[in-house]
Structures are given as C-alpha cells and as structure tokens.
Amino acid sequence: MDLNYTPEQEAFRAEVRQFLEDNLPDDIRERVQKRLRPDKAMTERWQKILFDKGWGASTWPKEFGGTGWDPIQQIIFEEECALAGAPRQLDFGLRMVAPVIMTFGNDEQKQRFLPGIVSGEDWWCQGYSEPGAGSDLASLRTSAKREGDHYIVNGQKTWTTLGQHADWIFCLVRTSNEGKPQQGISFLLIDMNTPGIEVRPIIMLDGEHEINEVYFDNVKVPAENLIGEENQGWTYAKFLLGHERTGLANVGQWKAMMKRLKEVARQEQDGQRPLIENTRFRDRLAQLDAELRALELTVLRVLTDKRGPGPQASILKIRGTEIGQQLFEMLMEAGGQDASAHISEALELDYNGPRAGSMEATPSAGDYFNMRKLSIFGGSNEIQRNIISQLVLGL
Amino acid sequence: MDLNYTPEQEAFRAEVRQFLEDNLPDDIRERVQKRLRPDKAMTERWQKILFDKGWGASTWPKEFGGTGWDPIQQIIFEEECALAGAPRQLDFGLRMVAPVIMTFGNDEQKQRFLPGIVSGEDWWCQGYSEPGAGSDLASLRTSAKREGDHYIVNGQKTWTTLGQHADWIFCLVRTSNEGKPQQGISFLLIDMNTPGIEVRPIIMLDGEHEINEVYFDNVKVPAENLIGEENQGWTYAKFLLGHERTGLANVGQWKAMMKRLKEVARQEQDGQRPLIENTRFRDRLAQLDAELRALELTVLRVLTDKRGPGPQASILKIRGTEIGQQLFEMLMEAGGQDASAHISEALELDYNGPRAGSMEATPSAGDYFNMRKLSIFGGSNEIQRNIISQLVLGL
Amino acid sequence: MNFDLSEEQQMLNDSLRRFVTNEYGFEKRGEIISSGTGINRATWSNFAEMGLLGFTFPEDYDGLGGNAIDTMVVMENFGRGLVVEPYLATVVLAGGLIRDAGNDAQKADILPGIASGERLLALAHYEPGARYNLSHVQTTARKDGDHFLISGQKTAVLHGGQANQLIVSARTSGGVNDESGLSLFLVDSSAKGVKVDDFATHDGHRTAEISFSNVTVSADNLIGAIDEAFPAIEKAVDLGIAALCAEAVGAMEAMNAATLEYIKTRKQFGVPIGKFQVLQHRMADMFIQTEQAKTMAILAASEAGSDDLASRREAISMAKTLVGQAARYVGQQGVQLHGGMGVTDEMFAAHLFKRLTLINLLFGDADHHLAQVSDGLLTTTA
Amino acid sequence: MNFDLSEEQQMLNDSLRRFVTNEYGFEKRGEIISSGTGINRATWSNFAEMGLLGFTFPEDYDGLGGNAIDTMVVMENFGRGLVVEPYLATVVLAGGLIRDAGNDAQKADILPGIASGERLLALAHYEPGARYNLSHVQTTARKDGDHFLISGQKTAVLHGGQANQLIVSARTSGGVNDESGLSLFLVDSSAKGVKVDDFATHDGHRTAEISFSNVTVSADNLIGAIDEAFPAIEKAVDLGIAALCAEAVGAMEAMNAATLEYIKTRKQFGVPIGKFQVLQHRMADMFIQTEQAKTMAILAASEAGSDDLASRREAISMAKTLVGQAARYVGQQGVQLHGGMGVTDEMFAAHLFKRLTLINLLFGDADHHLAQVSDGLLTTTA
C-alpha cells in the first residue's frame, strides 16, 4: 500500500503540465476559468490541439488512436487539464459511444466513426431519455422499424445535452414490443442531418440553452448504423454505465473548483477581513475539502482495485455530484447578495460592462442553479441508491 | 395574533413557580438535576405532593380530579416543573390510560381506576408491543379468551417501560382472529399481581433496567376490566395516539435541558477558555436553540389551533425526539473524553467516590445512549413520516 | 398567546390568494419580468387600490395603520405567486424607514405617494466588501454649508434602478465598521452624480449598483438625527427580514403543493413516483421544514417591530437561519423531485427554487444569522 | 499509487478475521469486560504469540519492523470484533512513543516486555480542562537533584489502571498552553504518590484518572530531550488516531453487516423490513459513509508516521473528522434500523454503537479536527 505517485507518474504529470502551459490558448483558459458561456468552437479547437499531440482520447487504447494510458495516467491528465483551465472534452463521443463501438461495433463501424470522434470533427450527442422514460429508461418508445436496408425512426428524445451542435446522435430505440421492455431495445447511430430530425431547445433554469428535445419523424437510418445485434441494445447501454468509471466522480474538475473557491474566499471581503477569516464559511470549506479528498482517494482506490468498480461506482456518482453541487453553492454564497444579479451578456469573453460584485460573483448563481442537474441526470442519485441497495447490499 | 402570554397566564406561571419553590423537596430536585438514577419512591412522593395541592392531573378535567387547565396552562405548568427540577410524572396512568377510561370506560371503571392514578397510588404500565409486533402493532398475538365472567390471557408483551414497578398494565389483546388484524383487538386492564404474570428485565444499552418483557400464562382477568366493547380496542388505541398532544414534543424538558447545556458550556473548560467560547460548539448550540424555539412555538401554534393537531402531531414527535437526542449528544460531547467512563454507582444520590471529569460528564454518555430510544419507541420516526405522507400529504 | 389572524387579516389573505391565483399566473409573470422595468404598473396600481402599499403607514398619511403581521400576510401570498413588484424595496424597507425615522414633513411628502403607487423608493445601504455587515459603510456625506456632498458606492440596492428616490446611508463620522456615525439621506435618482447600473436578478426581481459622486443633498433631506441612523437601518432591515421570511414560507408552500401534485401524477416503473417511500419521506421532511419555517416567520413578524434589541436580534436571526435552511432544503428537494423537468425554465418549481435560494442570501444567509444567534450566547446568561 | 495489502498483511488480516470470528464471540467478550481487569490474559498472550504486540517495533527489540498500515490491519479487525484489550494504549501509544522517542536503554528495557505481553504501559497525558488541546499541561516536573518531582492530575488515561508503568507528560518550563516546555517521564504505577482511579467505560474498555503528588522519578526515566516532548506526543497521538480510524472502520463494517442481516430477516407488515425503500437508502448511505471512512483510514495510516507536519496534520484531522462523522451516522442508524432491539444490551449492534460513539470523542471529536483542518486553511496558500 503506497499512496504516493511513482516517480514515473510524477514525470508524466510534469509532462502534461508543461504541454498545457505551452499549448492551452489563453482565451480558452480565460473563458474556462471565468466560467463564461461554453462555446462549441472552443471545445473543437482544444480537441484538435490534443489530437495533434496524440492525446485526443486519453481513455482509449492505442489501436484506435487513443493514448493507451493506464487509469492513474488518465486521472493525472484530467486533473492537470482541469487545474490548467482546459475545457472539458466532450464525453458523448469519447467516453460514451466510443467504448460501445469499440466493444460491440464491427470493423467497418470502428473505422468509420472512431477517427471523427478523436479528432473532434464529429460532435456526438446522446439519445436515451424520453418524456415518459427518465429513471425508467427501459420504458422508452421511440421506434425503429426495419424496412429493407433501413430503419424508419419515429419518436422523441429529450434532455439531449448540446444536441444543438451535434453531427451524430446515438440512440436507444425500440425495435420490438415483445417480452420485457428491456428486450426490444436496439442501439442505433443516427446522422443529425437526416431529414425528419428536428431539434428544439429546452431553456434551463439559469436561462441558458444547453439541452434539447429531438424529434424523429420518419427518419431513414441505414441498417449498417445498428450497433451489434438488433434488440440487444439494453446490454450495450448497461455496459456503458459500468464502463463509465472515472468520469463519474469528476474529481479533476472539482479539485480545480476547490482551488478557485479557496482563492475566492481569500479575495472576497467580509467587512474588514477576507472571507476566509470568517470561521463559519471556512469550516464549511474545510468540510468540503475533506470530503473531496476522500472522494479523490476513493476514486483511486476503486480504479486500482483489480475487481473493478462494479456497482460501487454508484458511490462515486453520488458523492461526486453532491460535492460538486456544494462547491457551486459555496461559490455562490461567497458572492453574497451580489450573486443575485443575472447579467447574461457578462458570460461572453468580450464583456466589459458593469457587474454586481466581483467577477467571480457574476456566473455563480447561474452555475449553482444549473448544477442541480448533476443529481438528476445520468441516473438520479435516488436511482444510484437503489442500485447500491439492490446490487451491492442485496436488498 | 399575539405571541405574548396574557397577564393571567403570567400570573399563573408565577403561582406555579412559587409552589415549586416551596414544595419541591431538595433531594428530589438534586436527583433530577444531576440526572441520577430514577427512583420509584421519588416519583410517588412528588405525585402525592401535587395531588395534595390539587394539581395531580394537569391535563384532566376537574370532574375526575384534574385541574381543568387549558392547554397553555398545561404547557406552562410542565415547563415550570421541568425548569425547577421536578421529576416527570408518570405518563402511563395520567396521560395514556386515563383519557381512554374517561372517554370509553363505564362509570364504575372511572370511579375505580381514576382516583388511584391521580393520587399516585397505582403505578401503571403499557402492554402494547410484542416481539413480533412493533411498528406493525396490529399484528399482535397476545390472546384473551372469554370464559364465563373472565378473560384468560396468554402471550407476551415487550418494551414495557417501568413495568417492574407497576400495579396495573393496560393491554391490547386479541379477542378475535376474524377480519382484518385491527378488528379483533380489545383493550384490557390487568392487575399485575394476578397469578401467571411474570416480568423479566431487559437491560438497556446504558446498562440500566428500565424496560421489561411481561409474560402472561393463563392469566385470569375479570371481564369487568374490559374497556368499551370487545374487539373495538384498536379504536381506543388510535384515539390515544391522537390525544397525546403536548407530551410528544417534550418541550418543557428540553428547555430545562437546554438551560443546563448552556450552563455546562460555560463551566467546562476548553484549554484556557470556557467551552462556550469555542465557536464550533457554540454554533451548534445556537442551531439547536433555534430549533427548540421553533418547536416550542410550533407546539403552541398547534395547541391553540381550533382544528386540533391531527396527524400533524407527528411533526412534534419527530422534531421533539430529534432535538432531545441532539441535546443529550451535546451534553456528552461537552464532557469530552471523560464522558467515556461508566460509573454506575455514581448515579446514586449518596455517591461521593471518584469520577472522571465533571459531575455533568458522569451520566452524559449513558443518557445519550439511552435516548436513542426516543426515535424508536412510541411509533418510530420512520412510522411518523409514513403517517405524514399518508394522512397529511395523501401519498 | 394566540396565532390566529384577525378577521381583517383573514379577508386580506383570502383576497390576495385569489389575486395571485387568478391574476398573477406563470405566463403573465414571465411577461412582467421580461418587460423593461420588471414592474407591471397596472398590478402596482391594483395593489394601491387594495390598500397594500400603505398598509403599515399611519392613517394620517393615507395608510391603514397595520403592522408587521399584516405585512406577513401580504408577503406570504406574494411568495406563493412569486410576485416580482418592489413591495419589499419600496413599501417595507424605504416606506418603513420613512415611517419610523422620518420627520413629519418627510412623511407627508413621501408616504402618500408610496401608498398611491406613484412613487417608488429604494434603500441604498449595502456596499461592496461589506458582505452582510450592516455597519460597514464607506460612503461619505460631507457637510458643505447647508448641504451634504455624498460620495461612494452602493450594491445590492433592491429595485434601485426603478426608484424615483433613494434612501442612502452614509458615514458622517466614525470608522468604517462603526455603528455610530451613520446618517440617512433622501436622494433623487436623477440627481447629478448618481449613476445607476440596473440588473435583472435570477429570480425575476431587480437590483442595482449605484455610485454617488459628490451628489449634493440639502440638509432637509437628512432622515433622523445625524450620526445616529444605525438603529433605524437595523430596524428597517429586520422588518425586511421578517417580510422575506414570510415570502419564503409562501414560496415553500407553493413548492410543496407543486411537488406533491407532480409526484402524484408523474409515473415511472408503472406507478406514480409518489408511491416510492423515499420520495414520500422527502416530502414529509419538506412539509416539516415548511411548518417550522412558518412558525419562525410568525415569530419574526411579531418581534420585528420590537425595540427590545437583544430579544429582537435573537428572534429575527433565529428565524432567518431556520427559514434560510428550510428554503434551501425545500428548494433543492422540490427541484430534485421534479426530476429533469425541475431544472428547466418552464417549471414554476424552478422559479420557486431560484427565489428561495436568493432569499437566503438577502440580508444575511443562514450562516450569518446563525453566527448572530451564536455570538449572542456569549453576552446573555439565560 | 496502490491500495493493496502486501501478501503478509493479507495473511495477517485473514488470521485476525478468523480469530475475531471464532475466538472473540459476544459472550466471551462480555465475560472479559465483567472480569476484574477487563483484560483477558490468555488472549493477550495469544496476541503476543501472533507477533501483534511488537509488530511495529524494530527487530532488534523483538519486533517485526512493521508500520502503521500493519497497525491498521490489526485495528480494523479489532474494531470488527470490538476487542477490548489495551492494544491502543500499550502497543500503539506507549510502545510507539518509546520506539520513536526513547533512548536505546529504554527501548531495550521496555519494548521486548510489551512485545512478549508481560508489560502493560499507558500514556498519561490529557488533563482536566484541557479538553482536546494537546499542549495544555499543568502537571509539573520539578528538578530536584538528579531526580524530578512530578505533581498534577491526568484524565482519560486509557487502560491506566491496568498499566505497570505510565508515560507521563509534565511541564518543565513554559506556560500552560505552550508547546515548548513539555517533557515525558516513565513512572511506575506503584510509585509513591501515584493515585489511580480506574473506571470501566461504556464500551467495555478501561480508563483512569491519575494524580501525581510529588512523585519522585530519576532522570534516567526522562524520555527524549527535556522541554521538547511535544512533537513526540503529537506523533504518538496521531498514530493513535490512525489506529482509531481503522478500528472505527472495522466496527462500521460489522455494524453494516449486522444491520443488513437484521433488516433482511426482521418482518413487519408481512415483509422483511429491508424491503422498505427508506431503509434501503439508509443502508446505502451507511455503506457509502463506511467506504469513505475506509479510504480516510488508509490515508491516516499512510500519513501518521510522516514528519511533514502540515501535511500530516491535515490528513490526520481530515480523517478523524470524516471517520467521526461516519461513525456517528452509521452507529446511530444501525441502532435505529434494529428498532427496539437496537437499544438493548443484548445486541452486538448496541455495543458497536457505543464504541463508535466513544471513538469519536477520543483524541478530539469531529468538531475539533474539522477546526484543525479549517484553521490550517489560514496558513496554507494552495
């Protein structure tokens, strides 16, 4: 048992840090660190920079154009990226559909889809949830009927994050109504430019456009876009859930956010003293800091466990989202009454107008509101506790 | 709306306070305030003193020997008694069986049982729970078979608090196995001296003997001891639950305990300063103080509500027990490491031996352990939340 | 000791509940918010006609002589419907200050105008870096002949951009954090040297940053005695806190009702999600928290006008602490129980959540007020 | 970076788990507790034979050269079975102090005796009124020729009544709360002027109040340098905290197992109560808390021996905070889920709860250690 990083790991960290220092554009760094409005071009630019370095897919094996890094390297990379102010890479392609394609797709599909993901040319989004199928995902009704060498897709998906930018969507669709609801589901890749697809924005409670409804009206999808076997989609979806290990806890992001929060607490004034000298605020900060440390080490413990995370990954999802939400809450609270102001224009890089309170206060309440999604999306924390009680505890 | 007590209420409070100053024996006060081991004789002595004053039953109407006080007077009386260090009167007779006898008993039963309760001559205990029937009380199996002018009772009760002292027990017994489990239950009063009754102690986790199992082996109970109608006992039991309003929240006791806790926090040393100057301890004290204030006013609000408390009384039970448990927890924490010591002899009035830490530390951990029962007994707090969600929220 | 509303208060409550339900719907509210000023003048006139805008002013100044309990009734209903008009800013804070600390001429000048709905005032007190410290004032008022020259920066001025006049606190003596040495001035928003940055807030209200650069104010516009304004400021803020507590209770009750309705109808796994025990207990806890908050809002309203400072401080801070904590819990869980819908702008629950969140921040969050209660334990002995 | 036990540690773990399960049952434990000393000598000898008592001592002194991770493995199993013997007091605290701060003669004299199980030592450090302040020492050691005269009062001396020798901290210079000016002395329990009040504890261990009245101690019995004992005391206590964290994790795992078993079998309303979703989520939270506590116990064990004081302080205090909070939650909820049975002395769960509660209090409760972490934020910049 040794909780220190090896010299090789430390050297790797230094290499990543140096690369970031040399290659992360200042405007991108500024945008991320000031928590300004996310931007498609920014994400694509950064993905391209990483791709050119050969680091486009930190979690993929080398054979598909990935880095071939081990889990600890992946963690180090993510953490350094977050601390440097790099934007998050897009999970939907890199961490969600790609592992499914690698594992269950045929060679043609791998050759066709993986390069566009790692280079950032193709923007992917996820078509899982439907208005009537949220936590109870298996009750989904979007149908795909086989007609010759195509599927005809009809139905509606919702909560499609960043679908407005997407070139492709990976969907769970119903190809059969026989047997249990889980049994008639297939995993289909759909070109967002296909006629019959309509994307409608859902405005989030912070006033931002991040999620969408996606409507399918007789959308013709080539049968070659089916992953694996028809009606086996539920198996692939569950694989995906189990596969998603490190991203769940989001430790790198939260460590960067904690660093920021500590800085903010030193900058914001509480009467004649810095806020950090307010015992009550500082105690809560300390509590959160300890919880984040526990999460970080638990992630490392799970990742280095030969048995793999299994359903215990639900712990990471629960704690990761709870800690993240509290971080944003404290950032808002640090802003005090000034956090109330909703200055939409100030989320752009070139904003130079008036604001209420500090630069940090500006995005803080909106971010806090937005982050309530963390405990709802991706399998609500209630569902995660169901998973623990059923699969881990056998209740 | 007026949150002040009326001059009449203030005068009443002064009268009660004066009476307590003049009549509460010093040794009893000391025993209570030092949280020493409770004592049957003490409870009986104090009941007799109150009875002689005409204050034996603060919640009863005058016709049965009660005071005829309104709810606010009852609250004031309880609070002053608690603050003065008077022992709690025994609920089982005064607040539990008596209202049932008054409401559903016949005249003969009223004349026979009520005087012994108010005078303190008869010690009552409760026979509701059984080993297989806790939260699910209606599944109780202790049977009472009618044979001539007697019932023959067989079975076992448990969690019988202070049953070791009791002259009488009021029991829910099964007189029929037909229909729903609730339908075949009767309410029976049983003389604890009847042959066939055996009381066995259950030692609590603090090492004290407070609760008991009561075994019934062909116990012959006169049919005249049946309250109301046969098989209607569930109705009376439910009435009792609804009737028990003010006692649930235990505000008077907790106010006295809060006062004590504040004194302790001023007395205990934390290095070179009194513990109260420790911000973290004081903040938690302040939080609890605020919650107690909210509870106190909520009780008054519910009591003065013309519609009566109804199922919302579950709020008082939940919050009252949670606050009580936290009070005892903080008293223990105030004792620090010294609270660990378990000095059983020191719970007697005449103890003069060594102890660990302050006088206050001595009973603190044992009390804290014991008080975990609060959220379990009397309908667990989980059951109370079920009641709220079903009867108040309609879920 | 009684918790009953008077007959008049009950009638007021009933008519406001009707108003909010029938005439302040989700869409109409949205339109008001996205309008230029964020205030609906017709609604405001309606309030004036109902007597709401002068409710707590003396009858001599076109008021109804009401008290903080009346304000509680109003604010609870405004919370239920998330009314965004500047009742708190103009009526409770500014109007209350003039009523309690103004001289006869000022009262005669201002209160009838507020009561009729013609005049909007705002209190410009908090400053950058002050956080919730009420005595932290760096804005100065320098005597210059029979005038004062005011310079400084104010923040979190509720509805400051909509007000015709501002009540501005400024330091006339003493150090930055001193309670003594503060004075209050009435300043026209259009006066030379006043610069207002008006912002929408996340909860559909308005707030402003206002700077004062050598703004000339005549000595007539001094409110109360010079150097001695702190008690009046504290009392106005305490009345504001009591009003916010009531508003939060109304919003929590609305959140509970909306959430209950949602979980009774929304189905997953073939049953309404309200059948899941975890959600049932969550709702029970939301209900418990709301009931306790309601009790504390009553306490706050009862004590807010009191001149027994220690007792008022404890009551108001206990109330704001527990109401703030309840608002956080009920807001977060209300959203959570709405699932994905809860984080969209389409749902009333999301708007209730935003208001509940920001109420906690106004005039001191739960942490701040708990610290007040806590530090109070060092000076009391009971 | 790896979290795996070595092969030897895995073997140790397996054999201790077997021992606790097969030879340290509920009834046997009860008998040990109610015996005169609260220690079973046969068990203690057994520990000696297994090498446990000198595990972390150098091989030169009959030890095995182990580290704090080994202690963690031992304590986790002791926690699982609620072993009451004085491993913490004698081996971890006193033994650790002699190992880390004693001179060769002292090590040679004492460590083999501990390792063989013949000698029991205890650390007498905390004092009345000190609470958790480690530097608060009023006991004095006055130089008198080539002797010291020790006078003062010690409290919370774990297994002090069972020890042959005491390691006593005393002030040789400085003020009451100063870190400098502390010295450590080895004192025979039977020495003239030593008065021991031995108490059982609620969790089946032993604690003592010990007074020293002009107790004569030769200069040979000074441990480490005069006036400079504080770092050694702090390190010993930190090693003790790491051990307690591991013990708590074992007890929490046992509590979870016992509770899971109970709610799977206990029926109410016709079904096992483990079918109720509220109890399922409660168990899930107990499980989550335990897993995080386990992580932090590993961190504590890894850092406890470190000489990087700031990093050690943060790690140890973070661990004790989260472990203390988890112990409270798991303890309370374990009892709650056992219903009425949970508050009786018959149930193992009740005993786990008591130990978990008191572990939180030992060497600083969660509040105290959170304050350490918090105040550390004032001096660090990262």
Side-chain angles (χ1 to χ4, degrees), chain A residues 145-387:
Chain A
K145 287 223 177 67
R146 182 76 183 244
E147 286 189 8
D149 56 358
H150 283 79
Y151 286 96
I152 305 299
V153 177
N154 280 287
Q156 183 194 345
K157 293 292 178 181
T158 192
W159 313 128
T160 307
T161 302
L162 301 179
Q164 71 267 39
H165 303 319
D167 304 300
W168 286 88
I169 184 168
F170 58 96
C171 281
L172 292 179
V173 292
R174 182 156 301 286
T175 38
S176 162
N177 287 305
E178 312 211 341
K180 281 203 229 168
Q182 287 82 351
Q183 286 171 353
I185 292 171
S186 297
F187 196 105
L188 203 57
L189 313 183
I190 305 178
D191 186 335
M192 288 292 279
N193 291 313
T194 321
I197 295 183
E198 190 193 347
V199 178
R200 294 188 202 156
I202 298 175
I203 301 304
M204 293 279 277
L205 82 175
D206 58 351
E208 298 295 312
H209 174 200
E210 182 182 35
I211 54 173
N212 303 272
E213 297 176 300
V214 183
Y215 291 80
F216 298 87
D217 179 18
N218 284 315
V219 175
K220 212 170 154 190
V221 180
E224 67 205 40
N225 290 4
L226 177 77
I227 294 288
E229 293 176 46
E230 199 174 274
N231 296 334
Q232 292 301 311
W234 189 252
T235 314
Y236 313 147
K238 275 204 306 186
F239 159 84
L240 188 47
L241 252 64
H243 189 87
E244 174 63 344
R245 296 179 182 182
T246 63
L248 287 168
N250 227 358
V251 168
Q253 296 286 331
W254 300 159
K255 282 184 78 171
M257 197 64 71
M258 174 59 81
K259 189 160 169 257
R260 194 82 203 97
L261 176 57
K262 289 178 185 172
E263 286 163 9
V264 170
R266 290 196 178 89
Q267 284 160 15
E268 294 282 358
Q269 287 296 301
D270 177 20
Q272 291 296 76
R273 60 180 181 182
L275 181 55
I276 191 91
E277 290 181 21
N278 178 321
T279 313
R280 283 82 183 195
F281 192 88
R282 190 176 70 251
D283 281 3
R284 289 173 53 217
L285 189 56
Q287 174 78 38
L288 201 53
D289 204 15
E291 291 179 21
L292 178 54
R293 182 80 170 270
L295 178 67
E296 179 188 10
L297 288 169
T298 304
V299 168
L300 289 165
R301 183 156 75 89
V302 166
L303 272 178
T304 56
D305 189 331
K306 291 165 202 75
R307 290 162 303 175
Q312 303 194 6
S314 289
I315 296 181
L316 307 184
K317 200 290 180 166
I318 292 171
R319 291 304 292 143
T321 54
E322 287 175 348
I323 287 169
Q325 288 177 330
Q326 284 177 61
L327 276 164
F328 282 102
E329 190 169 12
M330 289 202 75
L331 275 165
M332 173 183 70
E333 289 177 16
Q337 304 187 97
D338 294 322
S340 304
H342 185 195
I343 317 171
S344 183
E345 322 81 80
L347 297 182
E348 295 299 340
L349 195 54
D350 56 2
Y351 182 75
N352 264 319
R355 56 177 83 238
S358 68
M359 184 86 79
E360 290 292 336
T362 304
S364 67
D367 282 351
Y368 166 67
F369 295 138
N370 180 284
M371 289 299 154
R372 297 318 299 171
K373 71 185 177 193
L374 293 181
S375 52
I376 296 171
F377 288 2
S380 74
N381 285 8
E382 286 81 10
I383 292 287
Q384 303 299 333
R385 285 186 171 86
N386 282 351
I387 291 172

Side-chain angles (χ1 to χ4, degrees), chain B residues 6-46:
Chain B
T6 63
E8 293 75 23
Q9 287 164 342
E10 292 293 3
F12 174 73
R13 184 185 293 278
E15 182 191 357
V16 172
R17 192 173 290 183
Q18 189 61 52
F19 170 78
L20 287 161
E21 206 174 307
D22 298 342
N23 293 281
L24 176 60
D26 285 342
D27 65 313
I28 292 185
R29 184 192 309 262
E30 187 181 348
R31 197 185 269 272
V32 169
Q33 290 186 333
K34 289 185 178 163
R35 294 182 284 136
L36 303 180
R37 187 169 284 127
D39 174 56
K40 184 184 186 185
M42 169 184 92
T43 304
E44 288 175 334
R45 264 170 74 205
W46 178 236

Side-chain angles (χ1 to χ4, degrees), chain A residues 131 135 205 329 338 342 375, chain C residues 155 200 266 268 328 336 354:
Chain A
S135 295
L205 82 175
E329 190 169 12
D338 294 322
H342 185 195
S375 52
Chain C
T155 188
R266 166 75 173 171
Q268 292 274 278
R328 174 179 186 266
Q336 182 75 18
K354 288 191 278 187

